[in-house]
Amino acid sequence: MEFKVLESKNIFTGRAIRLRLDRVEYPDGRRVSIEVLRHPGSIGVLPLDDDGRIWFVRQYRHPASRLLLELPAGTLEPGEAPEVTAARELREEIGMAASSILPVGGLYLAPGYSTEYMHLYLATGLIPEPLDHDEGEYIEVEKYRVEVVYQMLERGEIVDGKTVAMLGLLRDRILNDE
């Protein structure tokens, strides 16, 4: 099955993203226009401390017009390995380094319109080692015991997609380690 890009036109270039319009021919001959948000990729980290608490950031997200409770995450810098990004983002967002950062999978955040692929990690052995937040970020750090986190999830208090996905992916592992 072949999907052929007939034309690709850049529409917008921003700090971290590019938007393009592709003209695509499907295997059945139909031709469609598809908007594509180009993203360099990202990481998401579930930080779990020795006391059985998961660390979150409560962050203002302008497109959602609200503060969201999220696991730490960030965009890959050019040429930066995802695990390096994960270590940096932990220090920037929650002020902690981790003695262990294990890969647990990955996912496309919104494959209907974006190329963004997020690498997922579990961070343990947390120790204080802060870096400055990125400019333009508004972040508050919060920690919750694992059982409280899953109660919050069941009540619909956590609505960030990557956070919901990671908590689901790691549920058995985290609950069994408690």
Side-chain angles (χ1 to χ4, degrees):
M1 201 175 282
E2 185 179 350
F3 295 84
K4 186 176 177 183
V5 177
L6 303 173
E7 180 184 13
S8 187
K9 181 170 77 171
N10 189 52
I11 297 172
F12 171 80
T13 300
R15 179 183 53 81
I17 62 167
R18 287 183 290 148
L19 181 62
R20 71 173 198 249
L21 183 63
D22 287 354
R23 189 82 177 136
V24 178
E25 184 176 78
Y26 286 174
D28 63 7
R30 287 182 297 144
R31 294 179 176 198
V32 297
S33 293
I34 302 173
E35 297 163 342
V36 179
L37 185 74
R38 295 272 312 149
H39 190 281
S42 59
I43 61 87
V45 184
L46 190 149
L48 180 64
D49 69 21
D50 294 339
D51 294 326
R53 296 174 302 183
I54 299 174
W55 291 55
F56 291 88
V57 294
R58 191 168 297 275
Q59 185 164 227
Y60 177 67
R61 294 299 194 178
H62 187 70
S65 300
R66 62 188 274 203
L67 290 164
L68 294 178
L69 189 65
E70 307 176 27
L71 291 170
T75 299
L76 299 173
E77 297 290 337
E80 186 176 54
E83 58 275 4
V84 172
T85 306
R88 176 177 49 77
E89 289 293 337
L90 277 175
R91 294 179 61 209
E92 287 176 3
E93 293 197 355
I94 66 169
M96 303 296 274
S99 62
S100 173
I101 300 178
L102 298 172
V104 294
L107 53 89
Y108 284 97
L109 288 176
Y113 64 84
S114 176
T115 65
E116 184 175 3
Y117 183 83
M118 180 174 272
H119 305 266
L120 306 177
Y121 295 90
L122 173 64
T124 56
L126 303 180
I127 54 171
E129 199 174 307
L131 286 175
D132 289 338
H133 294 305
D134 285 339
E135 186 179 337
E137 284 185 324
Y138 178 85
I139 293 175
E140 296 171 353
V141 177
E142 300 180 18
K143 306 170 259 198
Y144 299 96
R145 295 210 43 81
V146 169
E147 62 274 6
V148 171
V149 169
Y150 284 98
Q151 291 167 2
M152 294 166 69
L153 185 63
E154 289 171 12
R155 289 191 303 260
E157 295 173 24
I158 300 171
V159 295
D160 171 62
K162 70 181 170 306
T163 300
V164 171
M166 277 196 283
L167 289 170
L169 180 66
L170 291 169
R171 182 180 195 116
D172 290 341
R173 181 188 254 175
I174 291 171
L175 290 174
N176 291 334
D177 285 347
E178 272 268 290

